[in-house]
Amino acid sequence: MTDVTGGAKGPDELRRQIERTRSALGNTVEELTGKADVKGRALARAADLRDKAGAMTVQLRSTAAQAGHTVHDKATHTGPRPVRTVVQAGMRNPGPVLVAGAAGAVVAVGVLRWRHAHGYR
């Protein structure tokens, strides 16, 4: 029961209005605190990027292993001897191949981000 001017009609109505106002103010303060927490947001973004990088590493390793097997199969059945030698060396020591593939992926992502940031599509 409020009057036409928007004020409280009695003490109970006034208490309810005060509680609603406090609740709304509390929600607003929480939202502003979250927006002002730049460090917390940056840490959350960094954790998200680490997760994505980890997932990309797993995917790159899988893709590199598949590609290595495919190339190995093709090189052992056909192709010149130097190619077979390089492929076999890569199969014996997959670490450098994976590092090179991961470095290539990082460069590619960096180029794409740079292009996006500078308006190239």
Side-chain angles (χ1 to χ4, degrees):
M1 293 188 60
T2 58
D3 65 15
V4 178
T5 62
K9 198 112 186 186
D12 291 335
E13 178 65 24
L14 182 59
R15 284 187 193 97
R16 284 192 291 274
Q17 285 181 358
I18 290 171
E19 277 306 310
R20 284 193 299 267
T21 303
R22 281 184 184 157
S23 177
L25 182 59
N27 292 339
T28 303
V29 168
E30 284 181 27
E31 288 177 23
L32 289 173
T33 301
K35 289 181 180 180
D37 185 16
V38 175
K39 182 179 178 181
R41 289 178 22 217
L43 290 173
R45 177 75 174 139
D48 183 45
L49 289 174
R50 273 193 304 275
D51 291 345
K52 287 180 181 179
M56 184 181 283
T57 300
V58 170
Q59 184 178 8
L60 284 172
R61 285 183 179 171
S62 174
T63 303
Q66 275 184 328
H69 290 300
T70 301
V71 170
H72 179 265
D73 290 345
K74 288 183 179 183
T76 55
H77 296 300
T78 62
R81 177 115 176 103
V83 172
R84 283 195 300 259
T85 305
V86 170
V87 170
Q88 288 169 349
M91 293 299 286
R92 282 192 304 272
N93 300 309
V97 174
L98 291 175
V99 169
V106 167
V107 169
V109 168
V111 168
L112 290 175
R113 290 181 59 97
W114 182 86
R115 287 177 53 101
H116 181 73
H118 290 85
Y120 296 102
R121 305 260 177 205

